[in-house]
Amino acid sequence: MLFLILSIICSVTVGVIFKVSRKYNVNNSQIVTANYLFALILCYFFFSPDLTVVGKESPWILYAVIGLLLPSVFLFLAASIKHMGIVKTDAAQRLSLFIPILAAWFIFKEDFNSLKITAFLIGLPAILLILAKPSENTKNKWIYPTVVLLGFGLIDILFKQIALYTTLPYTTSLFVVFSIALLIMVAVVIYELISTKARLQMKNIAFGGLVGVFNFGNILFYLKAHQAFVENPSTVFAGMNMGVIILGSLIGVFVFKEKLTKMNYAGLALALLAIILIVLSQMK
C-alpha cells in the first residue's frame, strides 16, 4: 500500500510543480526536456535496461509515435494546469482510462459487461461536468484538458501494444521511448533558442529536474505496487485513479484556491463512481 500511496503523491506533485512554476516565468519546453533527461538517467540506474535486445524487430513505429506523443501531451498538461487548474487536469488525465477501454471494445473485440457500459455512460457526463467552465476566464481553454484526456488515453493503448512484445523487457522499451522523447524536445528547445532568441535558464532545468524525479517516481512506485498486489491488480488500478483525483482536488481547492462549481463537484463524484464500476467489472 505504501508504494501505491507514493505513486499517487508523485503523480499529483508533478501537477503541483507545474502550478508553482507559473510564478517564475518559466519555459515549459525546457522544463519538459529536462524532465526526460532526469527520468532517462533514473530509468537507467533503477531498471538497468538491456539495450542489446533492441534491434530491427523492435516496435520502432510504436516507439516513435509514443516518443512524439509523450512530450506533446506533457506540454498540453502544463498548459491545462495553467488555464484550468490541477483539479480538472488531474481528473481529465485519470478519465483518459475510458479511451483504452473503448479501444478494447471496438478494436480488440473484448467482452463488455453491463458494469463497463454503465461506467462509460456515467463517465461521459462526468467529463463534461468537470470541464464545465465556472467563468468566462476559461473560455475556449477546455481544449487543453481535452487533449490531455485523449492524449494519455492513446498513449495508454500504445504502451499496452508494446507490452505484447514479450521478447523485450517493458522497462527497456520505456528507456527507448524516453530517449526518443528527449531527442525530440532537445530539437524543440534548439529551435526556440535560434528562432525566438530564448535563453537556456537554470530555473527551467531545476523545475524540469523536479518534474523528472517525480514523473519517474510515479512510474517506479506504480510498477512496484502492481508487483506487491500481483493477485489483485484492480486494487492498484482503482487506488491510483481515485487517489489522484481526490488528492489533486484537495490540493487544488484548499492550497491553490481553485474555484469549482457545483457541476464540477458533481462531475468529480461521477468520475469516482465510474472508476469504481470499472474495477468491479474487472473483478467479475
Side-chain angles (χ1 to χ4, degrees):
M1 189 59 71
L2 176 62
F3 291 135
L4 182 57
I5 293 172
L6 289 173
S7 181
I8 292 169
I9 292 172
C10 286
S11 179
V12 175
T13 302
V14 169
V16 172
I17 294 170
F18 274 119
K19 184 82 171 181
V20 172
S21 69
R22 288 178 53 199
K23 301 178 181 179
Y24 297 91
N25 192 28
V26 295
N27 181 300
N28 283 331
S29 296
Q30 292 182 24
I31 289 178
V32 173
T33 303
N35 150 69
Y36 284 114
L37 175 60
F38 279 79
L40 194 65
I41 293 171
L42 290 170
C43 185
Y44 181 82
F45 281 106
F46 277 88
F47 294 145
S48 300
D50 183 9
L51 299 179
T52 60
V53 299
V54 180
K56 292 182 179 180
E57 296 182 357
S58 302
W60 285 106
I61 294 179
L62 283 175
Y63 287 161
V65 174
I66 299 175
L68 177 61
L69 277 175
L70 272 176
S72 302
V73 176
F74 230 130
L75 289 172
F76 273 96
L77 178 77
S80 179
I81 290 170
K82 175 182 178 180
H83 295 291
M84 299 293 283
I86 291 178
V87 178
K88 296 184 178 184
T89 302
D90 276 344
Q93 183 180 351
R94 290 301 146 187
L95 285 172
S96 65
L97 62 92
F98 285 107
I99 307 298
I101 287 174
L102 288 175
W105 188 14
F106 290 109
I107 300 175
F108 304 112
K109 307 301 181 183
E110 289 187 12
D111 292 334
F112 233 62
N113 57 38
S114 58
L115 285 174
K116 282 188 177 180
I117 294 174
T118 304
F120 175 72
L121 293 176
I122 293 175
L124 186 58
I127 294 169
L128 297 176
L129 288 170
I130 289 171
L131 299 185
K133 57 180 183 293
S135 70
E136 291 304 312
N137 292 332
T138 57
K139 186 177 181 181
N140 299 328
K141 298 299 189 296
W142 55 267
I143 187 67
Y144 297 114
T146 301
V147 171
V148 169
L149 186 151
L150 296 175
F152 276 110
L154 181 56
I155 288 169
D156 193 2
I157 293 172
L158 296 176
F159 265 124
K160 281 181 170 62
Q161 293 306 297
I162 283 180
L164 296 178
Y165 287 82
T166 53
T167 56
L168 286 167
Y170 186 80
T171 50
T172 298
S173 293
L174 189 65
F175 183 86
V176 174
V177 168
F178 278 170
S179 299
I180 294 172
L182 176 61
L183 289 174
I184 290 172
M185 287 310 302
V186 167
V188 170
V189 169
I190 292 174
Y191 173 78
E192 288 182 351
L193 293 176
I194 296 173
S195 63
T196 66
K197 307 300 181 182
R199 293 185 299 117
L200 196 62
Q201 296 179 301
M202 282 304 301
K203 62 182 179 182
N204 298 319
I205 297 174
F207 277 117
L210 286 173
V211 171
V213 168
F214 284 101
N215 188 25
F216 177 79
N218 173 32
I219 296 170
L220 175 65
F221 292 126
Y222 187 67
L223 291 176
K224 285 186 174 294
H226 269 294
Q227 292 171 352
F229 289 96
V230 66
E231 295 182 358
N232 193 9
S234 60
T235 300
V236 181
F237 178 85
M240 186 64 191
N241 287 286
M242 294 176 66
V244 168
I245 290 178
I246 293 170
L247 182 59
S249 299
L250 291 173
I251 291 176
V253 172
F254 293 106
V255 177
F256 295 106
K257 309 301 181 184
E258 294 178 2
K259 303 297 183 182
L260 298 181
T261 64
K262 291 180 179 179
M263 287 195 300
N264 298 149
Y265 284 115
L268 290 171
L270 287 177
L272 294 174
L273 177 58
I275 291 171
I276 291 172
L277 290 175
I278 290 173
V279 173
L280 291 174
S281 71
Q282 290 180 332
M283 293 173 68
K284 287 186 67 177

